[in-house]
Amino acid sequence: MFPLLAAIKSQQLDPKGIAFFPGNNVGYFGPLAETLRYGSERGHSWNGCGAGESSLGIEADGSVKGCPSLPSSDYVKGNVRDRGLQDIWSGLIADKAEKPVELWGFCATCPFAQRCRAGCTWTSHVLFGRAGNNPLCHFRALALAERGLVEKLERVSAAPGESFDFGSYRIVEESIARILEEDPVIGMTLGSQLFKLRAGTKGLWSDAELAAVLS
């Protein structure tokens, strides 16, 4: 997906002056992060989840949390009907400084751990019930691919069906060779060609097209 998005951005959107604003989970220090993420002209990549620092979420009932997407049950820190917004926001910032996210899983061992802080907090929490380990990361996927592995998410339980709720998932590691054997089309994709997931496979993109994506 990442190479295809980069191709769309560089070949279709940029020449027409159309801005590209991806969600947080696009990139995370992969080889296309600077191409995909806005602010790249200033050398910006990713500096951790901005919830409670550069963003706030206010629900219809006045509840305040660091980001509109975060689960209310775990992240609401006050209500504007009871306290001033500045006071609540100051508390959010203090909490983040005093109780940094505890990294676990792959994210705890990542060379970008201190800067990235496991990417989007919402993503980790709604998958595993806690922040600190984000599988939706390009760098992570490529690092695991070099070891012959791919991660899949397996649902453990469904969301109960309430506002801002979430289910539960677990990560299952599988052999990337077996996945490619079961679905040979994956080996023909733009991403597989660019990052040589399956050497020798004839893909759908020419060498010139591949070079254009990374230029």
Side-chain angles (χ1 to χ4, degrees):
M1 178 186 289
F2 296 121
L4 185 57
L5 288 174
I8 292 171
K9 179 180 184 292
S10 61
Q11 298 171 25
Q12 301 296 327
L13 302 183
D14 289 349
K16 298 173 183 175
I18 300 175
F20 180 79
F21 291 92
N24 287 340
N25 285 321
V26 176
Y28 294 141
F29 301 95
L32 298 173
E34 297 294 348
T35 299
L36 293 169
R37 198 171 293 285
Y38 49 87
S40 60
E41 68 278 1
R42 299 186 299 275
H44 169 71
S45 180
W46 174 258
N47 288 300
C49 178
E53 296 175 340
S54 58
S55 68
L56 280 177
I58 304 178
E59 296 183 11
D61 65 355
S63 297
V64 180
K65 50 193 178 182
C67 170
S69 302
L70 290 172
S72 303
S73 58
D74 297 278
Y75 290 94
V76 166
K77 297 298 182 181
N79 192 296
V80 292
R81 296 178 179 180
D82 305 318
R83 296 165 53 197
L85 184 59
Q86 181 63 54
D87 182 39
I88 298 173
W89 195 359
S90 296
L92 282 167
I93 294 174
D95 271 358
K96 199 160 188 177
E98 295 168 6
K99 303 172 185 176
V101 172
E102 181 181 350
L103 302 181
W104 57 283
F106 181 95
C107 289
T109 64
C110 177
F112 301 107
Q114 293 309 308
R115 181 174 176 183
C116 182
R117 292 176 288 170
C120 172
T121 300
W122 172 86
T123 301
S124 299
H125 199 107
V126 299
L127 290 175
F128 310 119
R130 59 186 283 208
N133 188 21
N134 189 337
L136 303 186
C137 167
H138 197 193
F139 172 82
R140 174 175 178 154
L142 292 175
L144 289 169
E146 287 184 355
R147 292 158 47 190
L149 298 172
V150 63
E151 289 181 323
K152 298 180 73 174
L153 290 171
E154 184 176 279
R155 190 170 77 174
V156 176
S157 61
E162 302 170 357
S163 298
F164 297 103
D165 64 4
F166 52 93
S168 176
Y169 291 78
R170 65 182 176 188
I171 295 173
V172 177
E173 289 186 350
E174 295 190 6
S175 164
I176 196 169
R178 186 175 68 80
I179 298 296
L180 291 171
E181 286 297 329
E182 291 179 353
D183 189 353
V185 174
I186 294 175
M188 301 170 66
T189 63
L190 181 57
S192 183
Q193 282 184 264
L194 279 174
F195 304 116
K196 299 179 174 57
L197 297 185
R198 190 171 190 180
T201 301
K202 182 174 177 56
L204 305 175
W205 280 264
S206 67
D207 291 341
E209 289 171 322
L210 295 176
V213 174
L214 294 175
S215 63

